[in-house]
Amino acid sequence: MKHALIQAALAVTLAAAAAAPAGAQEAAGDGKALFMKNCAACHQPTGKGIPGAFPALANSKFVQGQGNEVASVLLKGRGGMPDFSESLSDSEIATVLTFVRSSWGNKANGLSEADIGALRTTLGVEPFGNAVMSNKH
């Protein structure tokens, strides 16, 4: 059942990304727009997630914890969550995490593009754009 929910959410995300207007690239610097495009299908626009399938990001101790731990999930994936290392730049990952870490009752410091780049190196994750198939989502 959980696998079916993950598959359905990924299908919705892919359909939404395909239907994005041409000006969507202009919204790349906007954390909320990036969240809505890449995260909201699973974690919901409210950040409350789907109990038993996708964790809540709202009022989350994990989200408000160590920035590197939160960023590692986006760079390497975890559980049923895919990694976004090939589909989001370091700047975009920093922007979306800064939005999430300061929304829905969360009160944590943001992350910078340099933070994400350094973490990529530490984790041994290829630099954005070096993959054979970029934008795998």
Side-chain angles (χ1 to χ4, degrees):
M1 176 72 176
K2 186 175 179 181
H3 183 70
L5 283 172
I6 292 170
Q7 292 293 335
L10 287 175
V12 168
T13 301
L14 288 172
Q25 292 293 339
E26 295 171 8
D30 179 6
K32 184 175 182 177
L34 283 166
F35 179 84
M36 295 304 293
K37 180 179 177 187
N38 296 283
C39 315
C42 298
H43 296 288
Q44 303 302 289
T46 60
K48 293 183 180 179
I50 299 173
F54 305 107
L57 303 177
N59 294 307
S60 168
K61 288 182 182 181
F62 177 75
V63 167
Q64 296 178 80
Q66 295 296 316
N68 281 351
E69 290 180 23
V70 179
S72 293
V73 175
L74 270 73
L75 289 170
K76 296 196 75 147
R78 184 170 88 176
M81 183 170 155
D83 73 79
F84 287 86
S85 65
E86 296 176 13
S87 59
L88 294 176
S89 70
D90 294 351
S91 175
E92 290 170 324
I93 290 173
T95 299
V96 76
L97 285 177
T98 297
F99 168 74
V100 169
R101 288 168 57 86
S102 63
S103 299
W104 315 299
N106 295 325
K107 293 178 174 74
N109 292 332
L111 297 168
S112 70
E113 180 176 357
D115 294 333
I116 304 303
L119 184 58
R120 267 187 201 267
T121 301
T122 300
L123 297 174
V125 175
E126 287 288 323
F128 178 73
N130 278 5
V132 175
M133 293 282 294
S134 193
N135 197 8
K136 65 182 178 180
H137 300 285

